[in-house]
Amino acid sequence: MSRLRNEIASDTRKDVAVDWFLRRSAGPLSGTEAEAFEAWLAQSPENERVYAALDLAWSAAGEAEDHPVVSARNRVLVKAVDRARATRRAVLATLAVAVIGGAGAAWQGLTAPKPLVTQSFSTAVGQQATVTLPDGSRLTLNTDTVVRTKADADRRLVYLEKGQAYFQVAKDRRHPFIVTAAGRTVTALGTAFDVRVDQGGLKVVLVEGKVRVESAPSGPFPRRQTEAVPAAPVQATEMTAGSQLIAPDDAEWRLARADVDRETSWLRGQITFDDAPLGVIVAELNRYSTRKIVLADEQLASVRLGGIYTPGDVDGFSRALRAYGVAEVAPGPEGELRVVALK
């Protein structure tokens, strides 16, 4: 009877792990979903082990899926979205069975955490890209972004040189995942969060799990060794799911609740604003296009607007301004659009 109960529990754990994997793969979880996912992981170490191994195994299987022969066969066998999802669920379930049952040394070799290697990834203005690291973590790079990873035996080291990236971190308690950006570090074990570097400032939006953010132990300008100056204190804070940290400098850190759906809307090909100054909207849209929007009238910068816009669609934005009756838009030098207040 005890063995039967264990088998039933294993099957349930497998099914729940597959459900969570599919939901996370579809896009960022809502705040409520993220809390439920973390609660399920915390229920049992086995839940964490099964999910982490399933995540890594699927990443490894994806390499084979990208082979031209496999892709061609999949197009023949799986023609509908529902059927594709069902097929994917079946594969995930099979992998989960292997995780729970313990399929020997070969399986352990497949799912064992893999260290990061020294490499770099980048996107141009208007581009986005998603990469999977050797440990199974996924990085989605936003426009004009540079990310580096560094080989290390004890830690998973990632450096956000500029831009913005969304991190889905594979769980590995023995090797913390550390993102260094704008002179601060964001440390996680297994979670999902968005990091943005903007003019030396840092913004972190935590979608799932917990992270610790720390400032650098010293200032950007080293002092002469003859100066007896005490070391600057390290500023640090813990973040929980659904919160955001804005750190324009080391003197002013603001921790608050976040609208996660809005903050991560760029992952869905959208930029969402709610009663934002036009100057802020223009600056954000300019990140995604080499064709810039210029406010010819400084008073326009304080006009507040909302809406959902497509990154890089400068013409669409200019049409929206005309429709709102806010401003006139005219072509300027080198393809830019000049926004002029209505008389």
Side-chain angles (χ1 to χ4, degrees):
M1 181 64 69
S2 176
R3 180 179 178 181
L4 177 60
R5 284 198 297 268
N6 289 339
E7 290 178 354
I8 293 174
S10 295
D11 287 342
T12 301
R13 181 176 291 113
K14 173 200 68 177
D15 291 339
V16 175
V18 169
D19 284 338
W20 278 121
F21 189 92
L22 290 171
R23 290 163 71 178
R24 292 190 73 202
S25 298
L29 300 179
S30 66
T32 301
E33 289 175 327
E35 291 177 1
F37 175 61
E38 290 299 322
W40 177 76
L41 289 176
Q43 286 176 3
S44 166
E46 281 298 297
N47 290 357
E48 287 193 11
R49 185 180 72 84
V50 170
Y51 188 87
L54 180 60
D55 193 14
L56 286 172
W58 185 253
S59 297
E63 296 179 5
E65 188 179 21
D66 290 336
H67 191 281
V69 175
V70 177
S71 298
R73 184 172 179 81
N74 285 343
R75 285 194 294 271
V76 174
L77 295 176
V78 184
K79 296 183 179 179
V81 173
D82 290 342
R83 189 178 175 189
R85 187 175 178 86
T87 301
R88 190 179 187 202
R89 172 178 286 278
V91 174
L92 285 168
T94 301
L95 292 175
V97 168
V99 173
I100 296 170
W107 174 257
Q108 293 297 327
L110 175 64
T111 61
K114 297 178 175 60
L116 303 189
V117 298
T118 300
Q119 56 186 325
S120 62
F121 311 94
S122 63
T123 55
V125 173
Q127 291 183 332
Q128 294 180 353
T130 299
V131 296
T132 301
L133 300 181
D135 71 327
S137 298
R138 293 184 180 86
L139 276 61
T140 302
L141 282 65
N142 202 357
T143 176
D144 195 20
T145 296
V146 176
V147 174
R148 292 189 298 110
T149 60
K150 182 179 179 181
D152 188 277
D154 301 318
R155 300 165 298 172
R156 294 174 286 173
L157 302 178
V158 181
Y159 300 86
L160 177 61
E161 302 288 352
K162 68 172 183 175
Q164 182 177 17
Y166 181 74
F167 300 86
Q168 291 177 283
V169 181
K171 285 190 175 294
D172 180 2
R173 293 193 176 277
R174 293 177 299 172
H175 303 90
F177 192 97
I178 303 174
V179 178
T180 299
R184 292 91 165 180
T185 61
V186 183
T187 303
L189 295 174
T191 183
F193 56 96
D194 184 286
V195 181
R196 175 171 171 175
V197 175
D198 193 4
Q199 297 180 350
L202 176 72
K203 182 176 182 179
V204 180
V205 177
L206 184 56
V207 178
E208 300 175 17
K210 297 179 180 180
V211 298
R212 178 178 177 82
V213 183
E214 293 181 297
S215 63
S218 60
F221 303 105
R223 298 178 183 271
R224 297 194 305 272
Q225 294 183 358
T226 56
E227 294 184 73
V229 179
V234 175
Q235 187 168 344
T237 187
E238 303 280 347
M239 295 181 63
T240 56
S243 63
Q244 68 178 4
L245 171 70
I246 300 177
D249 52 46
D250 286 339
E252 184 182 4
W253 286 22
R254 300 192 302 275
L255 190 62
R257 296 297 298 175
D259 185 334
V260 173
D261 288 339
R262 184 175 66 199
E263 296 293 341
T264 60
S265 62
W266 64 271
L267 293 167
R268 303 186 296 273
Q270 300 174 339
I271 310 177
T272 306
F273 299 99
D274 182 14
D275 192 34
L278 183 56
V280 172
I281 297 176
V282 167
E284 186 68 13
L285 290 172
N286 281 340
R287 293 177 61 211
Y288 294 85
S289 177
T290 56
R291 188 183 180 193
K292 304 303 182 183
I293 303 170
V294 178
L295 295 179
D297 189 336
E298 293 183 359
Q299 293 182 348
L300 285 173
S302 60
V303 175
R304 308 188 77 87
L305 293 175
I308 299 175
Y309 305 97
T310 301
D313 186 7
V314 176
D315 292 329
F317 177 68
S318 65
R319 288 193 298 271
L321 288 180
R322 294 190 188 97
Y324 286 138
V326 171
E328 296 178 338
V329 182
E334 299 182 0
E336 71 180 22
L337 288 178
R338 293 179 57 81
V339 181
V340 181
L342 292 174
K343 301 299 184 180

